[in-house]
Amino acid sequence: MGVLMALYLLICPRAAQAASLLPFTQGQASSSRQGQMPALGYVEEEWRLRGRASSYAADGKWQDDGLWSVKADKAPHDYETRVLIRRPRDPSRFNGTVLVEWMNTGLGFDLDGAWMLTRDEIVREGYIWVGVSAEAASVSKLKGMNPVRYATSQVQADNGQAYDIYTQAATLLRPMAAQWAAQAKGSPGPHLLALGYSQSGSYLITYINAFQPITHAFDGFYLASTAAVGMPLTTSGARYFNPQYRAEPSAPVMQVSTEMEVMVGWQLSKTPDTQALRHWEIPGAVHLDKYLQQEVINADLSGQHMSLPDCIKPTNTLPTRVFNKAALHALHDWVTQGKAPPVAPRMQRNSWGFIRYDEVGNAMGGLRMPDLDLPVAEYGMYSNVPRRGWSATTFYACMAGGSRNPLDADKLRARYPSGEQAYFEAYKRAADQLLAKGFLLAPDHAVLLEQAKAIKLPH
């Protein structure tokens, strides 16, 4: 690792020597969840991340095989951005692993998508979560929301420094993690896992293929709801569609994709599971379901307020995030114990390559919620639009939120003539299998069974 880090410093001279983390001493962070922390037993802190970072260019032609190389394109320039740190209030609860999320800017502000999907597991297990505002768009939006607090923040507008900023954050966090672990009285570690949701996961695809082999900054990667797209090195570059991961990633990669990404990204289903890669495809899951939409509007955006969209159809409520939490748990075991996650079946496609659907209209194959094999609703994809208040934001929210379309009473009576107890027993058998195979965690298994008990069928 020392030799590879030395190579990184040769590629990017003075990349990390001047980087520092300094805590904000007062005031309220933007894109914050400070109000949620007391109930979770966590505290949230905001730190300034300062240093000098380079931009990069491709070294040679990048092919679909993911064996990408980079070279420094410009001399290092000063930058200042921020990181958010959420850690257990009781230091002894820290489990030794820091989750370093590349904050997502797709909705116009810093979004902690991986935190939203896996928060319950993070809190249960005592992870420390860190959100890094690596992108130029993050800094621009932060300055817009609170120009006084972020007055000295600066990142080059072409976004070329983002990958270096993310690496430097990890480099600074590793010794901090060792100190946190020492306070936890011998917790294992430290380990650093990189997290990315949606577009941020696409940045991680580029990072895994081009930077991680040099920096070895992370011990594992978790990509949630990420399409088969690699992000460019600067805003002047083009996205890389349908790339593969390099044949032997230098750290384990866990990717969890919803049906929405899989149905438009055929390359995803061709991604083989290997000794360093697991890919779970979740039918019925959507990119921004009702739970995620509610979590988005719960963020503190410095006085800016959002509301849930009014869509023509009910937004998807299938709680497929239980698989996201199981995936994080499995990746952690993979990194810390060498225990590889289970291999999940892929979604089924027809001879034309399109997703296959059953008679209800739900996708076939994949890592399935019991709700799909014992359906009381059909879960639609890309089939929802705003009822009123049309805008780019509401249109995106309704489309990305999918739909939940309940089956009518006649169909339910025909499917479940034996009634609710028989339904629950069948549901429990399916959930028990997921639990036994490692696709479901015990607390989430219990929640699913409680929800199944509440289902009322027509008599």
Side-chain angles (χ1 to χ4, degrees):
M1 180 173 303
V3 173
L4 290 169
M5 183 56 75
L7 287 173
Y8 165 65
L9 293 174
L10 285 173
I11 291 173
C12 180
R14 294 185 297 165
Q17 70 179 27
S20 63
L21 277 168
L22 302 170
F24 281 81
T25 57
Q26 58 186 2
Q28 175 65 51
S30 294
S31 299
S32 167
R33 297 193 184 273
Q34 182 63 48
Q36 296 179 359
M37 295 299 110
L40 300 174
Y42 267 56
V43 295
E44 181 184 84
E45 303 163 340
E46 187 178 36
W47 294 58
R48 300 180 194 272
L49 174 60
R50 293 172 175 168
R52 294 175 62 80
S54 286
S55 296
Y56 295 87
D59 187 6
K61 183 176 176 59
W62 285 10
Q63 306 291 343
D64 290 344
D65 58 13
L67 300 175
W68 300 349
S69 297
V70 293
K71 57 186 177 183
D73 188 42
K74 299 177 182 177
H77 283 270
D78 293 340
Y79 74 87
E80 181 183 308
T81 184
R82 66 88 181 259
V83 301
L84 284 174
I85 298 177
R86 297 170 189 158
R87 56 182 178 81
R89 181 178 297 278
D90 178 359
S92 68
R93 290 200 57 236
F94 176 44
N95 71 351
T97 298
V98 178
L99 309 175
V100 187
E101 179 164 359
W102 185 306
M103 297 289 267
N104 183 291
T105 62
L107 293 180
F109 57 89
D110 270 359
L111 181 66
D112 49 359
W115 164 271
M116 295 191 302
L117 284 167
T118 61
R119 180 192 64 205
D120 294 344
E121 175 66 5
I122 291 172
V123 172
R124 281 194 298 247
E125 296 298 318
Y127 292 94
I128 289 178
W129 175 93
V130 178
V132 181
S133 298
E135 297 176 43
S138 283
V139 172
S140 175
K141 297 301 181 182
L142 288 169
K143 291 172 76 74
M145 284 192 286
N146 196 330
V148 175
R149 184 175 183 83
Y150 304 105
T152 57
S153 297
Q154 57 172 331
V155 172
Q156 288 186 301
D158 68 356
N159 205 42
Q161 295 175 296
Y163 297 97
D164 232 6
I165 290 171
Y166 194 57
T167 298
Q168 290 181 28
T171 302
L172 292 167
L173 285 166
R174 194 172 287 276
M176 292 176 65
Q179 295 176 4
W180 290 325
Q183 293 176 354
K185 299 179 181 178
S187 69
H191 297 95
L192 266 63
L193 303 183
L195 273 59
Y197 164 77
S198 188
Q199 177 179 281
S200 297
S202 290
Y203 276 104
L204 292 189
I205 290 176
T206 300
Y207 193 96
I208 290 165
N209 284 344
F211 292 91
Q212 173 69 8
I214 301 168
T215 67
H216 278 232
F218 297 96
D219 302 305
F221 292 83
Y222 177 42
L223 286 69
S225 302
T226 299
V229 178
M231 295 301 287
L233 295 172
T234 66
T235 52
S236 63
R239 300 186 181 196
Y240 303 91
F241 290 95
N242 292 328
Q244 300 175 21
Y245 291 101
R246 56 174 50 240
E248 296 183 3
S250 62
V253 177
M254 189 82 199
Q255 181 164 352
V256 181
S257 300
T258 74
E259 182 181 336
M260 279 191 165
E261 295 95 48
V262 174
M263 69 186 297
V264 299
W266 293 3
Q267 182 61 36
L268 283 173
S269 294
K270 298 178 182 179
T271 304
D273 292 302
T274 69
Q275 292 182 345
L277 174 66
R278 287 291 185 272
H279 181 205
W280 294 356
E281 297 182 347
I282 316 300
V286 297
H287 197 71
L288 195 69
D289 63 20
K290 186 68 170 287
Y291 166 83
L292 289 176
Q293 291 184 14
Q294 185 64 59
E295 286 297 306
V296 168
I297 67 173
N298 285 343
D300 186 332
L301 301 178
S302 300
Q304 298 183 20
H305 298 285
M306 297 182 295
S307 59
L308 292 174
D310 181 11
C311 306
I312 290 177
K313 300 177 182 179
T315 304
N316 190 310
T317 57
L318 192 64
T320 53
R321 60 189 177 278
V322 296
F323 292 138
N324 293 95
K325 290 180 276 187
L328 176 59
H329 190 92
L331 175 61
H332 182 256
D333 284 352
W334 203 2
V335 169
T336 60
Q337 303 175 25
K339 178 184 176 183
V343 174
R346 301 299 176 85
M347 292 173 62
Q348 296 183 18
R349 296 181 182 270
N350 61 25
S351 59
W352 293 89
F354 295 105
I355 299 296
R356 294 180 61 196
Y357 294 90
D358 61 22
E359 71 279 4
V360 172
N362 290 324
M364 300 175 67
L367 179 53
R368 306 176 66 75
M369 294 283 291
D371 308 68
L372 295 187
D373 293 325
L374 297 158
V376 295
E378 177 264 336
Y379 295 93
M381 304 288 134
Y382 300 112
S383 59
N384 212 346
V385 294
R387 188 188 311 275
R388 60 179 66 85
W390 279 67
S391 68
T393 300
T394 58
F395 186 81
Y396 171 79
C398 289
M399 290 290 286
S403 61
R404 181 186 185 278
N405 307 296
L407 302 185
D408 63 37
D410 289 340
K411 290 181 179 179
L412 290 174
R413 276 191 289 265
R415 277 188 166 272
Y416 310 112
S418 300
E420 291 157 0
Q421 183 59 32
Y423 176 90
F424 173 77
E425 291 172 358
Y427 191 103
K428 184 177 184 302
R429 287 193 294 271
D432 289 349
Q433 290 182 13
L434 292 171
L435 177 66
K437 293 178 181 178
F439 294 117
L440 193 61
L441 301 176
D444 298 315
H445 173 267
V447 170
L448 290 184
L449 294 188
E450 286 300 315
Q451 293 176 354
K453 284 181 181 178
I455 289 177
K456 301 299 181 184
L457 299 172
H459 298 290

